[in-house]
Amino acid sequence: MEKAVFSDWDKTLTRVYSSHEFMQHCADRKLIDRKYAELIRQTTLRMKAGKISYLKSLAWFKKAIAGFVGVDYAQAQMEADAFAAEFYEEGNLYGFVPSLVRETRDRGYEVVVGTGSLSFLTRALGRKVEVQEVIGTQEIVENGRIIGFDETVLSVDGKARAVKAWAKLHNMELG
């Protein structure tokens, strides 16, 4: 890959906040405690009501994703794949995304998603539209269990640093 186009995920390629929806999915399947899904649901409602900005919601998101700590990573990935199948079929992904990814690739670019969303979820969603490169809230796994998250991308500055680091790793100049 010689050239890349960077995009966010939530509310850019998708109509909704995928991680928020995924947390409800996981709570419904008893993978995480319902209190974490409720926390993120309240955050979404506050954003929709204009009571908090997306950037301020990130502190709540950090608390909510703690619900995945201790969860079997393979099971989390399986749920992400199951969720991605439903998410894609329900039209939560903008309809133009598959053709956009193909056209971008045909022009010699790779699409790289830089998002605060959970990396294992975004990778599952990305596979549906052939986005292979994801910079997200990366899970930290030890002995097959999620023990935490690298929250670097949960700030504007952090996301910018992560994109710059990715470009450097792939010997690309940002422009």
Side-chain angles (χ1 to χ4, degrees):
M1 172 179 26
E2 295 179 22
K3 302 182 282 186
V5 173
F6 293 89
S7 176
D8 201 339
W9 190 255
D10 292 338
K11 301 295 221 156
T12 304
L13 299 179
T14 63
R15 298 178 192 275
V16 299
Y17 293 106
S18 57
S19 292
H20 297 194
E21 302 276 329
F22 178 61
M23 291 191 74
Q24 184 62 52
H25 169 93
C26 289
D28 290 346
R29 283 150 187 80
K30 300 191 182 349
L31 184 66
I32 64 170
D33 191 292
R34 186 160 301 285
K35 71 181 180 185
Y36 296 103
E38 181 58 25
L39 178 62
I40 206 65
R41 189 181 78 76
Q42 290 298 321
T43 303
T44 304
L45 291 174
R46 286 184 178 102
M47 284 191 306
K48 285 181 181 178
K51 293 182 179 179
I52 60 171
S53 68
Y54 171 75
L55 290 177
K56 290 195 177 191
S57 78
L58 295 176
W60 294 69
F61 182 67
K62 288 178 185 183
K63 292 177 186 176
I65 62 174
F68 286 100
V69 172
V71 169
D72 179 80
Y73 184 56
Q75 188 176 4
Q77 288 179 301
M78 274 185 6
E79 286 303 335
D81 288 335
F83 175 82
E86 291 173 22
F87 187 85
Y88 190 73
E89 287 178 10
E90 291 176 8
N92 288 319
L93 191 68
Y94 288 114
F96 64 81
V97 172
S99 60
L100 176 72
V101 171
R102 278 192 305 277
E103 289 170 17
T104 302
R105 194 167 284 125
D106 288 348
R107 291 183 178 159
Y109 291 84
E110 189 64 47
V111 175
V112 180
V113 172
T115 180
S117 292
L118 299 167
S119 289
F120 64 92
L121 170 62
T122 308
R123 285 190 301 269
L125 293 169
R127 284 191 289 273
K128 293 292 190 181
V129 291
E130 298 178 10
V131 170
Q132 302 301 316
E133 297 287 336
V134 177
I135 302 166
T137 301
Q138 183 65 42
E139 61 281 354
I140 301 168
V141 178
E142 198 173 277
N143 297 323
R145 297 213 170 269
I146 297 171
I147 62 164
F149 293 90
D150 176 347
E151 299 171 353
T152 301
V153 296
L154 288 178
S155 73
V156 174
D157 291 337
K159 193 178 288 188
R161 283 192 310 274
V163 166
K164 288 175 184 173
W166 187 94
K168 185 176 180 178
L169 180 69
H170 291 86
N171 298 314
M172 291 184 185
E173 288 185 33
L174 294 175

